[in-house]
Amino acid sequence: MELKEGYKQTEVGIIPEDWLVMPISEAFEICNNLRLPISANNRQMMQGEYPYYGPTKIQDHIDEYRVDGEYALIGEDGDHFLKWEKTPMTQYAKGKFNVNNHAHVLKGIEGLTDTKWFYNFFKHRNISQYLTRQGAGRYKLSKSSLKRILCAIPPTVDEQQNISNLLSSIDSLIHSLEQLTEKKRLIKKGAMQELLTGKRRLQGFESQKIYKKTEIGIIPQDWGIGQIGNLTVKVGSGITPTGGAKTYKSYGRPFVRSQNVGWGELYLNELAYIDEATHAKFQSTEIMESDVLLNITGASIGRSALADDRIANGNVNQHVCIIRPATEHLSPFYLNYFLLSSHGQRQIDAFQAGGNRQGLNFGQIKSILLCLPKTVEEQNAIANTLKQFDTEVLGLEKKLEKYKKIKQGMMQNLLTGKIRLTKPATTESPNDVKLF
C-alpha cells in the first residue's frame, strides 16, 4: 500500500512524519503513589464531596482527597478488560479526588505531552496484548506492561490540546443531547400518566373537574372503564411454520416475531418472511394496518407497537398477539399507549405469577382494564399529543446518533493525524473548526 505524502508507517499505524512514537514510560509520568488503597477505614469515609475513582467510573465519594490536578486514569485489573470494546479504558479526572488501587494514574510531561491526549488516545484502544491473566475472568495491566505500550504523539503540546479540545467539544454536545433526550422522555412519561387517566384534559375536551374512584384509579366523571375483550374484534396470536427458521424467505409476506415488537416501535432489521403457500395456511393470523401487536411470552412480555403498512398483510408467530380494536369504540393508537403506560404494565405484571413473566393468555389480555374517554375523538387527540412527544424524542435520538458517528469518525482521523487542525479548537461547535 502506497503511503500518502507526509505520512509514515509505524508500530501504531500510519501517522504524520512529524509525529512521534513513544512508549508510555517516556511520554507520560506514572503517578501511582497518589492512589488510595481500599480499606475498611476508607469505606467509612465515603460520605464526602470528593470523587473516589475506580478503573472505569466513580465508585463513591470520600471526605479526604489525595490528588489535586489533572490526570488520566487507566484500569490496572478487573474483568472490565474483557469488555474493552464497549467499556472506555481510560478516564479523565480534574480537581480534587481520590483513586483506588485498581487504576493507574498518569500525567503529561511538561513541554512534551498533554494529559488529555493520553485519555483520548487510549479511551477505546485495544490493549489486550499487554494484559496478563489473574485467575478466572480477571486480567491485569501491570505497571511494567503499561510502561512499554506505544502511543502516537503529535509534535507539540498545542496540537495535542487542540485535538483534545475539539473532541471535548463534541463530547459536551453529545452529553447535552443525552440529557435533553432523557428530559423529554421523562416529560412524555409524565404526560402519559396525566393524559391517559384524565388528570389533564386537552383543549376542546374540558369538563367540570369532577372525578370518581374506579378499579384502576381516579378518572374524570365523564370517563368510563372498559375491558379489552369488550372493545375489540380480535385477540389472538399465530404459530411458527413447521420447520421453523428453515421456512423463512428473503422476501414475501412479513412474518413478525417478538424481537420485531419494541416499546412503541417496530424493529424490522431482522424481519423474516414467508411464502404465499405458508401464508394461506395462517390467514387467521394476518396482520391489518393499525393492529396493536403485544408480546405475550418471554422476557419481552408487555412490549407493544402498532402495525403499519410495512408489515400489513403479513403474519405473527405464537409469541405475538394481535389486538384489533372495534374502532367505533376504541382507538388503536390510544390502546397502544395505554398498554405501554404504568397502568397497562402493572396489569400485565400482575398476571405473571411470582414476577417471572412467563406468558399471557388471551383471557388475561381480554380482561385488561382501560381508563376510557367517552369519545374516540378524545382518545385520538390524546394519542396524537403523545405521538408528538415520540416524534420529538425520535428526532433527538437520531441527532444524538449522528453526532456519535461524527465523533467516531473524528477520533479515527484526528488521533492518527489523517486530519490536522489548522487553528485551536476553541469553538463550541465542531462545524466551526477548519481542518486541512
Side-chain angles (χ1 to χ4, degrees):
M1 176 176 153
E2 186 176 345
L3 289 176
K4 181 181 174 182
E5 184 179 352
Y7 288 80
K8 60 186 178 183
Q9 179 70 55
T10 71
E11 300 96 317
V12 295
I14 298 173
I15 60 174
E17 287 182 341
D18 59 338
W19 281 31
L20 308 172
V21 175
M22 302 177 69
I24 286 175
S25 59
E26 296 178 16
F28 298 92
E29 182 183 357
I30 301 176
C31 310
N32 285 356
N33 59 305
L34 299 175
R35 299 185 302 185
L36 185 65
I38 295 175
S39 69
N41 289 336
N42 293 337
R43 291 293 185 193
Q44 291 174 1
M45 289 190 294
M46 287 184 180
Q47 300 174 355
E49 59 180 305
Y50 302 111
Y52 180 59
Y53 286 94
T56 59
K57 62 183 178 181
I58 293 176
Q59 304 292 306
D60 217 318
H61 291 74
I62 201 165
D63 283 325
E64 297 182 5
Y65 66 89
R66 288 200 176 186
V67 180
D68 187 2
E70 181 181 355
Y71 294 88
L73 312 174
I74 188 168
E76 179 175 358
D77 58 29
D79 57 7
H80 58 276
F81 284 119
L82 299 174
K83 301 176 288 185
W84 66 268
E85 288 182 311
K86 295 182 179 179
T87 302
M89 296 310 303
T90 63
Q91 296 189 85
Y92 173 71
K94 188 174 182 180
K96 299 177 179 180
F97 59 91
N98 289 276
V99 183
N100 72 19
N101 57 342
H102 295 300
H104 296 292
V105 184
L106 295 103
K107 188 175 185 179
I109 295 175
E110 186 174 356
L112 177 64
T113 52
D114 177 60
T115 302
K116 262 195 175 180
W117 179 259
F118 180 96
Y119 163 73
N120 284 308
F121 189 80
F122 287 104
K123 187 173 183 180
H124 295 286
R125 193 167 294 270
N126 183 2
I127 58 170
S128 58
Q129 61 180 307
Y130 297 97
L131 305 177
T132 56
R133 195 176 184 94
Q134 302 287 303
R138 293 188 69 84
Y139 290 81
K140 182 178 180 67
L141 176 65
S142 67
K143 185 176 180 180
S144 60
S145 295
L146 175 68
K147 285 182 176 181
R148 61 188 176 88
I149 298 176
L150 298 174
C151 53
I153 308 289
T156 67
V157 172
D158 282 346
E159 185 173 1
Q160 296 168 38
Q161 290 177 339
N162 291 341
I163 293 170
S164 294
N165 289 341
L166 181 52
L167 293 175
S168 293
S169 293
I170 196 165
D171 271 339
S172 296
L173 178 58
I174 288 171
H175 181 64
S176 296
L177 282 171
E178 287 174 336
Q179 288 185 314
L180 180 57
T181 303
E182 182 59 26
K183 179 180 177 181
K184 293 295 182 181
R185 288 194 189 107
L186 291 174
I187 291 173
K188 178 204 165 184
K189 186 177 180 180
M192 286 180 71
Q193 177 68 19
E194 293 183 340
L195 290 170
L196 294 171
T197 58
K199 290 184 175 67
R200 172 181 159 196
R201 303 292 290 271
L202 297 175
Q203 187 175 0
F205 300 98
E206 301 93 338
S207 65
Q208 292 182 345
K209 293 184 178 180
I210 303 174
Y211 294 87
K212 61 185 178 183
K213 288 184 178 181
T214 70
E215 306 97 305
I216 56 173
I218 297 173
I219 62 172
Q221 183 69 36
D222 60 330
W223 280 29
I225 296 295
Q227 274 190 333
I228 284 180
N230 297 328
L231 299 164
T232 54
V233 295
K234 180 180 180 61
V235 174
S237 63
I239 58 175
T240 296
T242 303
K246 293 179 181 178
T247 64
Y248 298 157
K249 309 297 180 181
S250 56
Y251 62 91
R253 297 273 187 162
F255 190 66
V256 176
R257 298 165 292 169
S258 59
Q259 60 260 50
N260 302 127
V261 179
W263 293 105
E265 59 183 322
L266 296 170
Y267 302 135
L268 302 183
N269 290 338
E270 298 180 3
L271 184 63
Y273 296 88
I274 56 176
D275 58 27
E276 288 295 329
T278 305
H279 168 73
K281 299 175 184 177
F282 301 150
Q283 288 187 358
S284 64
T285 72
E286 184 172 339
I287 301 166
M288 293 179 61
E289 192 167 347
S290 297
D291 280 347
V292 176
L293 305 182
L294 174 68
N295 285 353
I296 57 175
T297 66
S300 65
I301 282 179
R303 295 198 319 218
S304 74
L306 277 167
D308 58 26
D309 58 0
R310 295 174 296 172
I311 60 172
N313 306 122
N315 299 85
V316 296
N317 71 3
Q318 72 271 28
H319 304 296
V320 180
C321 180
I322 294 174
I323 306 176
R324 187 170 299 152
T327 53
E328 68 273 21
H329 300 299
L330 176 61
S331 160
F333 307 95
Y334 181 87
L335 170 61
N336 186 54
Y337 279 118
F338 193 89
L339 289 173
L340 294 170
S341 73
S342 59
H343 285 283
Q345 290 296 305
R346 273 201 299 268
Q347 293 182 71
I348 290 171
D349 286 340
F351 292 129
Q352 309 309 302
N356 57 5
R357 299 179 73 84
Q358 291 301 304
L360 289 173
N361 61 50
F362 301 146
Q364 291 169 333
I365 296 167
K366 290 178 180 180
S367 71
I368 292 175
L369 298 174
L370 312 175
C371 301
L372 206 61
K374 64 179 180 180
T375 66
V376 174
E377 288 74 21
E378 184 172 4
Q379 296 172 30
N380 281 324
I382 291 170
N384 287 336
T385 300
L386 293 175
K387 187 176 181 180
Q388 290 174 17
F389 283 108
D390 282 338
T391 300
E392 192 171 1
V393 170
L394 180 61
L396 288 171
E397 288 174 342
K398 287 182 177 179
K399 192 173 184 180
L400 183 58
E401 187 62 27
K402 171 188 171 183
Y403 277 105
K404 285 182 177 179
K405 288 180 179 178
I406 289 173
K407 181 196 171 187
Q408 188 63 33
M410 289 171 64
M411 288 179 66
Q412 291 173 353
N413 289 310
L414 293 172
L415 296 175
T416 59
K418 290 178 183 175
I419 293 179
R420 308 285 293 273
L421 296 178
T422 63
K423 68 176 183 178
T426 56
T427 56
E428 292 184 0
S429 170
N431 297 323
D432 297 332
V433 181
K434 304 299 182 185
L435 309 174
F436 280 121

